[in-house]
Amino acid sequence: MNHRPNRTPVICADDYGMNLQITAGILRLARQEKIQALSCMVNAPDWQDHADNLTDLPASIKIGLHFDLTHPFTPRHRPLHYWIRQALCGKIDAALVTDALHSQWNAFVETTGRSPDHFDSHQHVHTFPIIRHCLLNFIKEKAPAPGMLPVRDPSPLMAPYPFFKSKILRLVARGFTEELGPYLANQYFGGLYSLKPRMNFPSLLNSWVTNAAPGTLIMCHPGEPSDDPTDPISDTRAGELQALLSFESTNNLALQR
């Protein structure tokens, strides 16, 4: 049975706080209400400053936690392929994951003075075997009633999407929807593509928004230009930012709790 409530389509900007340029780009979008949600990386060295900038956003903007296990500024981080391999082999250290969940949750709450509006993760690690079980136990502790902390489900993909990338995601996220069912935020998911600058993001965005049914979540990764060596998609972010700033349809979307 599908326990997820109907929601209007929402565009969520990921990676808030990763660096100053990403934060600046997402703030531009949020202040103009070109997006309806953003997700925060709280291990960033300047996280306190990034958090302070959230205070003057429109009340309609939902602010979530972007759980991370792969970025270099995160303690005990490992590359994505490590987590995929360990998850599929059943060898993830559950205690490490649980500690990271508590640490990042506490960093969010201590700096913003509030609990996150929603939960997702960098490179979808929260959907992986063992990690998702740790997450479920964590949610039951922090937000015991379904709907108190909506969780992103990247499994129900909207077309178009890249075949190989989607195949890997479906492999590693198999069973996620069933395990987290009552806590999931979205019924459909858009925004998955190769993240290459040559891709026509405005066309992709238009397709996802045009075909979005109630319950659709669309992720994006905008930002101002930067030379951050830890950000492999920095060249793509500026194109996403410009597309979102000029895309009038995004003003008609709203996230509902």
Side-chain angles (χ1 to χ4, degrees):
M1 180 181 296
N2 189 342
H3 297 276
R4 287 172 287 185
N6 288 329
R7 298 172 187 274
T8 52
V10 57
I11 296 178
C12 181
D14 289 357
D15 304 338
Y16 181 90
M18 180 186 284
N19 61 40
L20 293 173
Q21 292 79 16
I22 293 171
T23 291
I26 293 177
L27 287 173
R28 285 180 65 189
L29 293 168
R31 288 166 178 156
Q32 296 182 42
E33 296 186 85
K34 295 288 189 174
I35 55 174
Q36 294 71 49
L38 59 89
S39 291
C40 303
M41 301 182 75
V42 299
N43 284 317
D46 300 313
W47 165 239
Q48 180 66 64
D49 293 336
H50 299 303
D52 290 345
N53 286 320
L54 296 171
T55 58
D56 64 348
L57 295 184
S60 62
I61 304 298
K62 301 303 178 182
I63 301 169
L65 176 60
H66 200 54
F67 181 62
D68 176 54
L69 292 172
T70 64
H71 196 276
F73 56 46
T74 293
R76 302 181 71 179
H77 70 276
R78 297 290 187 275
L80 178 61
H81 63 77
Y82 168 89
W83 295 108
I84 292 175
R85 181 179 66 251
Q86 295 298 100
L88 294 177
C89 294
K91 295 182 178 180
I92 284 180
D93 184 345
L96 184 155
V97 173
T98 300
D99 286 347
L101 284 166
H102 281 278
S103 174
Q104 294 180 40
W105 175 277
N106 291 339
F108 184 100
V109 172
E110 289 168 4
T111 50
T112 65
R114 49 173 287 187
S115 297
D117 290 320
H118 56 268
F119 185 99
D120 49 53
S121 69
H122 195 50
Q123 300 181 311
H124 310 297
V125 295
H126 72 289
T127 68
F128 295 3
I130 303 177
I131 297 177
R132 62 177 177 245
H133 185 69
C134 296
L135 172 61
L136 181 57
N137 290 335
F138 180 81
I139 290 174
K140 288 178 178 178
E141 173 190 339
K142 295 294 184 181
M148 291 180 64
L149 182 65
V151 178
R152 176 182 296 179
D153 184 3
S155 304
L157 286 171
M158 294 175 60
Y161 51 78
F163 174 76
F164 181 74
K165 196 171 184 177
S166 64
K167 188 174 182 178
I168 295 297
L169 177 58
R170 285 187 167 120
L171 173 65
V172 77
R174 183 180 300 164
F176 174 77
T177 302
E178 292 73 19
E179 189 163 352
L180 273 290
Y183 297 92
L184 298 182
N186 55 291
Q187 293 174 289
Y188 308 98
F189 182 69
L192 189 73
Y193 74 108
S194 68
L195 295 174
K196 300 296 184 184
R198 66 175 180 272
M199 298 301 294
N200 188 342
F201 180 76
S203 177
L204 292 170
L205 177 64
N206 183 68
S207 176
W208 291 318
V209 172
T210 300
N211 294 299
T216 296
L217 172 66
I218 302 169
M219 70 172 178
C220 59
H221 303 83
E224 301 283 0
S226 80
D227 56 0
D228 183 350
T230 70
D231 183 14
I233 63 168
S234 59
D235 291 342
T236 301
R237 294 186 189 274
E240 287 200 14
L241 175 61
Q242 293 307 312
L244 286 159
L245 286 170
S246 61
F247 193 65
E248 293 299 326
S249 297
T250 60
N251 283 324
N252 297 323
L253 303 178
L255 179 65
Q256 299 175 349
R257 292 297 302 272

